Structures are given as C-alpha cells and as structure tokens.
Amino acid sequence: MGKMIRSGHRSSGHLRGHGAKLVSADAKDLLLAKAEQQQTQSQLQVEHLRGLLAREKNNSRRLKAIYQHCPVGYVTLDEKGLITEWNQAAAEFLEERKRPLLGAPMTFFPVREDVGQVLDHLSRCKQTDGGQVVTELRLKRSDGQIPVQIVSVPFHQGDKVFFQTALIDLTEWKKHESALEESKKFSEAIIQTTHEPLIVVDVNLRIVQSNEAFAKLFKLPRRLAKSMPLEAVLNLWWNGNRLRQRLEDVLLKKNAPLNNFEFEVQPRHLGRRIFLFNARRIRCAENSPPALLIALEDITARKGTEEKLAQTNRQLQLLNNELEKRVEERTRELSASHKQLEGFCYTIAHDLRSPLRAMAGFSAALLDDFAPQLNGRGRSYLEKIVGAGEHMDRLIHDLLEYGRLTTIDLEKKPVDAEEVLHSVIKSMQPAIDEKHARIDRKGKLPKIYGHKAVLEVAFSNLISNALKFVPAEKSPRVTIWPEEKDENVRIWIADNGIGIEARYHGKIFEVFQRLHSRDAYPGTGIGLAIVHRALQRIGGDVGVESEPGKGSRFWIRVAAAG
Ligand code: ADP
C-alpha cells in the first residue's frame, strides 16, 4: 500500500490548494501517474490537431487549385469594387496581360455605357444579406465587346466584406438566343403569310396566336383573339364535344396529329360553316406545356358544290336510267325487226338458189345436148349464162354463211387448233395439188378457247386466198405458225402472193370489197368479211401485214385455252 504524506485528503484541488502540506507516498505516485496520463492525452490532442491542420491545408490547396483552373472567371472584389484576387480564367477574360488586375476597379472593364450598371451592382452587393447579386453588361475587350453576366456573393474576412464574383461569358448563349429569335420570326412570318387560317392554342384551348387569314375569316383582330377560348370563337358550346375530344387527343398523345377532320360549326357572324381541321402538337418553348397548331380550311363552298353536283348526278342518273330503258326498248324492237329481216333475207337467198340452180342446170344440159345445133356465138352465150349462174350461186352461198354467223349461237370451248387446221388442209388438198402449191408449217398450233366452226371458216378462207392471189407464173407457197402472247394466240398465214397496198389493209375485211376484177382473180368479196365477223363473235380478231409484190401475212388472234 502507498505511504501517507500527512493529510487524509486525496483530491488534487485540495493538493493544489495546500501544496505545502505533506502527502502520503501512494498519493504522490497517483498524482504522478495522472500527470503522465494527462501529458499523453495532450500530446495525442496536439497530434490530432496537427493532422486536422494538415488536412485543412491540403483542402485549401485543393480548393485553390480548383479556383485557379476553373473555366469560369472569378474575381474577388473589396468593398470599393477593387479587384483583390482572381483566377486564370478571369485573367484571360479581363486581359490581364494588357493591364494589371490587382487593385483595378471593376468599373474599368465594361463599355462606357455600362459603367453605371457596375456601380449599381456594387451598391446592391453591399445591401444584400448574403444572397446573389446578378447583372448583365458588356465588357470591352481588344477584340470587341462581349456580353457577360456577373454574379456576386458577399463574404466576410475579419471585419471586412468582400464579394466573390463570377464572370460568365454570354456570347454563345446570346447567339442561341438570337438564332431562336430569328427562327421565331421566321415561323411567325410563315404563319402570317399563309392564306389558310392558322391558330396556336394552349392546353386549355385558348388562342395564343393567330394569323391574318384567321383574323380576316372570323373578323377578329389578332390582339382580340389572343387568349380567347377557341370554343367561343367557333361557338362550340353545346355541340363541340367531338372536336374538343379530338383536339385534346392531339394534345395528350404524342405523334397523333389530326388530319382533315371535317366538322360543321356555326360561328357568330359567319353562320353555318364546314371546316377541315388539321392539328399538330407543338411546344412554343423548351419546358413549356404543349400547345396545338391548328389549320382550318373552310370547305363550305366546296361542300355546297359537291352537294349540288351529287344532286345533278342523281338527276342525271335518273335521266340516264330512263334513257337506257328507252334504248333497251328500241334495241329490242330493232333486234326483233333485224331478226325478221335476216330471216327474210335468208329465205330469199335460200329460195333464190333453186330457180338459179334450175337455170344453170338447164343451161348446162342445153350445152351438153344441143351443142352441135348451136353456132359459136350461141355456145358462148350459153357458157356465159352457166358461168354467171355459178357465180351467183357462190354469192348466195357466201351471203347465207355471213348471215348465219351473225345469228347462230357460238358457245366458246377449248378447241385443238392443230386438228382443225389439219382437216382444213386435207379438204383443200385437190386445190393445193392443182396449183402445185406448198404448205409449210413452223410449229404445232396450240389449243385455243373459241369455236371449231369459226376456226374452220378462218383457215379455209385465208388459205384459199393465199393460194389464189399469187401471180400465174409462181407456185403458191404458204407458211403457217403460231405465236403465243400473254393469254392470246396469234396464228399467222403467210403467202408469196401479190401483196396488198397498206391503204386497203382495213377495207378488205368489209363485205364486197375486192381489189381485183373477177377475170383476174375470181371471188365474191365476202370471204374476209365472214372471217372478221366470225372472229368478232368469239372475242377474237383478224389483221394483215402486207406490201405489194412482197406477199401477205394474215393473222388471227384468239384466246389461248387456260
Ligand atoms: P374474195 O377472195 O372472194 O375476193 P375476200 O373477202 O376473201 O374476197 O378478199 C377480199 C379482197 O382482199 C380480195 O378480193 C383481194 O383483193 C384481197 N386479198 C385477200 N386475200 C389476199 C391475199 N392473200 N393476197 C392478196 N390480196 C388478198
């Protein structure tokens, strides 16, 4: 146990108060230990404070570096507005290389007209209770003047006040601002010059802007139109729900423009009007609520004309129906009388043949039986009578055939054209042999969709003409080939004959159109008309390519079989 040094009191206060008193040896040790402990604690505190100081210094160095190299120009102004400190950006901005900045008054830097603004800025800085003071002015520099914003915040150092002041270059911003202004003017000019009434309305469908055309149509000067509800201008109070809904949809939904929405309104002063509404969502400025650009097209007059036109069309349709009915009736009457006439002609033609045959027959018999009793003239007369009788018989036969083709039913079906051609050539073989003719084939004919009898008529007429219209000294040569095109087939029949002048290419398909005398080339002039009519009846056609002396190439066009 420690030794007692005289007094029983242990407290240090007591010890300090009575330093001269004796204390025990134990108490002394205790005191010493405490003192040591205190000393260590103080040393630790000193260490801690040193650390803090060092960190503080470090921070302040870092802040200084940031301040120095920050891209925004900073100056510190004293109460008189003299520069006491600045960073690199400010040095460049204020052109330090030309004039020293330390102690320079801030009023030294703006253009002359803006010096007052600096003074005003400084006086506001003194009055502010810690808030920012902002001023825009123009700084003069060797490369001209530049717009800047100066922003100052006061701070105290000792008993003095300073103003930390940022210098913000507004050149780029001003450029954007003026570009924005320009584009605003540009769109305003477009809006104003367009002939179509245009308005911009806000989210509450109140007019924000309108153009001259709108003012003119609604007799509403632009300044009066401003902030008027669209509903009031269009007088939409009770019937405008559908339009209102559509416009609100455009406002709310992105990319949902309103296109050519037809709507009838009754604006006061204008009466009933039909407008086409076109609307697009737009933003007048960044971060502003959306607005609507609405174009109105007054189509009342057009609608009126359309209605009148529709009415006229309806009347015309009625007249047309009436006319069609009458035409139908007349056609029916005509076709009945036509049929009657055809029947009549057929009967006549048919009935003409028997007396004609009797005449021809008896003339032939007279020639056979009584030739020796007749002199040369008599015989020649009789021969002419026989010839004329035969010709008339052919004529009547051809006319009957032509008439028959006009009236008979021609039901179309698939036909093997090759087979038909083959049998026609076979039936014509005696004539072919007699003329020493040659028929060449280039390719087999395909199946067609038509009528067998029509094909027979076409082939036999065209081939017999090809054999007939050839100069006497030449042997006829006929070439036949098919040409398939799209859904049609052309069948060509070419000869080496006398050819046909281009001006007759259409004529020869009409009845009784012949280009030569019967003595030179016999015939009735009906064959090609029959071919033409027959092909027409099945939706086909016939034509020719030819030149005198260079032969002819006749073709028929028929539908290909599926
Ligand atoms: P037809 O042969 O009985 O005279 P068509 O109606 O068959 O009557 O022919 C009309 C006319 O067309 C003929 O008279 C002839 O002048 C001309 N023609 C027809 N086919 C040919 C042909 N292959 N070559 C030259 N001319 C022709």
Side-chain angles (χ1 to χ4, degrees):
M1 285 283 121
K3 293 172 235 163
M4 284 292 284
I5 304 180
R6 263 238 24 208
S7 165
H9 293 289
R10 286 174 132 193
S11 85
S12 58
H14 183 80
L15 185 75
R16 275 200 295 273
H18 305 85
K21 284 185 189 161
L22 287 175
V23 289
S24 75
D26 275 358
K28 197 175 164 191
D29 284 350
L30 204 66
L31 279 174
L32 270 174
K34 245 190 176 165
E36 262 169 31
Q37 197 185 351
Q38 270 177 358
Q39 194 183 357
T40 327
Q41 265 177 3
S42 322
Q43 266 171 4
L44 279 174
Q45 270 173 1
V46 167
E47 279 306 306
H48 179 65
L49 280 174
R50 263 203 200 119
L52 279 180
L53 207 65
R55 225 177 301 153
E56 194 55 39
K57 264 191 186 162
N58 211 9
N59 275 347
S60 126
R61 258 204 307 277
R62 259 182 37 216
L63 278 175
K64 266 224 163 96
I66 291 171
Y67 175 79
Q68 269 309 321
H69 302 292
C70 164
V72 177
Y74 275 107
V75 292
T76 308
L77 302 176
D78 66 10
E79 249 178 312
K80 290 182 196 146
L82 305 179
I83 295 176
T84 61
E85 212 181 344
W86 61 94
N87 69 354
Q88 264 174 34
E92 271 167 40
F93 207 51
L94 300 175
E95 299 186 310
E96 188 197 22
R97 65 201 145 79
K98 294 212 163 148
R99 52 201 162 203
L101 293 184
L102 186 62
M106 196 54 204
T107 48
F108 188 68
F109 300 96
V111 297
R112 201 172 330 130
E113 298 85 344
D114 291 354
V115 171
Q117 270 165 266
V118 176
L119 294 172
D120 175 64
H121 182 86
L122 288 169
S123 87
R124 282 192 290 133
C125 281
K126 281 175 209 159
Q127 284 157 22
T128 179
D129 48 2
Q132 279 187 351
V133 179
V134 182
T135 303
E136 267 186 34
L137 44 82
R138 289 160 296 167
L139 284 191
K140 68 167 182 282
R141 296 212 327 181
S142 48
D143 54 355
Q145 44 176 266
I146 50 169
V148 288
Q149 189 178 53
I150 54 175
V151 182
S152 299
V153 182
F155 69 94
H156 291 266
Q157 213 166 52
D159 53 354
K160 286 189 178 159
V161 185
F162 293 90
F163 309 114
Q164 188 64 272
T165 302
L167 308 168
I168 300 159
D169 185 352
L170 295 183
T171 316
E172 283 305 308
W173 191 81
K174 287 274 175 198
K175 260 192 218 159
H176 285 143
E177 203 180 41
S178 74
L180 205 70
E181 198 52 40
E182 280 296 309
S183 81
K184 255 191 186 169
K185 275 192 198 146
F186 181 67
S187 44
E188 174 74 15
I190 291 176
I191 286 180
Q192 287 312 330
T193 47
T194 179
H195 287 298
E196 224 175 29
L198 284 178
I199 45 170
V200 177
V201 297
D202 64 13
V203 283
N204 300 314
L205 301 186
R206 279 178 181 277
I207 296 177
V208 178
Q209 216 181 342
S210 56
N211 70 349
E212 275 309 315
F214 184 85
K216 209 164 141 196
L217 177 65
F218 287 91
K219 300 185 179 60
L220 188 64
R222 288 169 58 204
R223 76 196 141 72
L224 286 186
K226 198 157 185 151
S227 64
M228 257 181 103
L230 181 63
E231 304 183 274
V233 180
L234 296 179
N235 202 11
L236 285 185
W237 301 115
W238 48 274
N239 65 345
N241 273 346
R242 220 155 51 89
L243 177 65
R244 209 171 299 131
Q245 186 64 54
R246 297 299 298 267
L247 293 177
E248 276 162 10
D249 274 359
V250 184
L251 261 173
L252 295 178
K253 291 179 201 155
K254 244 188 178 179
N255 306 327
L258 184 63
N259 290 324
N260 294 334
F261 179 64
E262 193 179 310
F263 198 74
E264 189 180 314
V265 288
Q266 297 249 8
R268 255 169 249 138
H269 318 303
L270 287 186
R272 175 182 169 269
R273 289 283 163 140
I274 303 168
F275 285 116
L276 271 190
F277 285 86
N278 279 282
R280 299 279 181 283
R281 189 167 94 145
I282 55 166
R283 269 181 206 284
C284 294
E286 219 176 308
N287 298 327
S288 68
L292 271 189
L293 173 67
I294 305 176
L296 301 98
E297 190 187 342
D298 186 354
I299 56 164
T300 320
R302 198 213 300 168
K303 275 269 155 187
T305 319
E306 271 172 18
E307 260 163 41
K308 267 194 204 138
L309 211 69
Q311 213 175 342
T312 320
N313 270 348
R314 274 196 298 277
Q315 278 170 353
L316 267 176
Q317 188 62 46
L318 284 178
L319 279 177
N320 216 18
N321 290 349
E322 179 65 22
L323 207 70
E324 260 174 28
K325 227 166 80 191
R326 273 202 230 155
V327 168
E328 243 171 56
E329 272 167 26
R330 290 287 296 147
T331 315
R332 249 200 317 273
E333 282 167 18
L334 265 176
S335 98
S337 67
H338 191 217
K339 275 230 163 77
Q340 239 176 359
L341 205 67
E342 260 170 7
F344 182 63
C345 288
Y346 186 81
T347 319
I348 290 180
H350 194 260
D351 291 354
L352 273 178
R353 283 186 103 181
S354 40
L356 185 69
R357 278 190 180 153
M359 278 163 62
F362 281 117
S363 306
L366 200 60
L367 254 184
D368 283 349
D369 298 347
F370 298 96
Q373 279 103 311
L374 292 170
N375 62 14
R377 230 152 102 212
R379 272 198 303 275
S380 147
Y381 287 161
L382 259 184
E383 272 161 9
K384 282 204 166 96
I385 292 174
V386 171
E390 277 170 359
H391 179 65
M392 195 158 172
D393 188 51
R394 269 198 306 279
L395 258 179
I396 294 172
H397 167 270
D398 284 358
L399 276 174
L400 279 175
E401 182 65 12
Y402 186 75
R404 198 174 66 87
L405 275 170
T406 316
T407 45
I408 57 161
D409 277 343
L410 292 176
E411 198 196 327
K412 287 205 282 181
K413 47 175 112 160
V415 179
D416 188 342
E418 179 64 31
E419 226 171 64
V420 177
L421 178 65
H422 190 74
S423 84
V424 169
I425 293 176
K426 201 170 159 199
S427 71
M428 294 177 78
Q429 201 57 50
I432 296 169
D433 294 341
E434 188 194 326
K435 299 207 166 212
H436 306 290
R438 216 171 92 192
I439 301 215
D440 292 333
R441 304 285 314 281
K442 286 199 279 180
K444 239 175 112 180
L445 301 192
K447 279 212 165 76
I448 62 119
Y449 187 66
H451 197 276
K452 189 174 169 213
V454 171
L455 272 194
E456 278 170 352
V457 160
F459 288 152
S460 60
N461 271 291
L462 294 176
I463 295 173
S464 73
N465 279 351
L467 296 176
K468 182 164 63 174
F469 294 102
V470 177
E473 68 283 2
K474 261 190 187 173
S475 307
R477 188 154 172 202
V478 187
T479 316
I480 304 171
W481 72 95
E483 181 188 281
E484 289 182 61
K485 203 171 175 198
D486 303 328
E487 284 155 14
N488 290 316
V489 185
R490 269 183 191 224
I491 299 169
W492 292 84
I493 296 173
D495 62 48
N496 59 340
I498 55 176
I500 306 162
E501 273 186 66
R503 63 190 162 129
Y504 297 124
H505 287 182
K507 269 250 166 283
I508 54 173
F509 296 101
E510 290 169 20
V511 184
F512 298 136
Q513 295 299 326
R514 307 200 73 241
L515 306 179
H516 313 93
S517 71
R518 212 149 41 83
D519 290 339
Y521 297 103
T524 58
I526 305 176
L528 287 181
I530 291 176
V531 174
H532 186 226
R533 169 62 65 97
L535 281 162
Q536 256 185 349
R537 296 265 343 253
I538 59 162
D541 206 358
V542 57
V544 67
E545 290 175 2
S546 179
E547 260 180 73
K550 294 195 176 164
S552 306
R553 287 165 305 285
F554 280 83
W555 54 261
I556 62 165
R557 180 179 54 75
V558 279

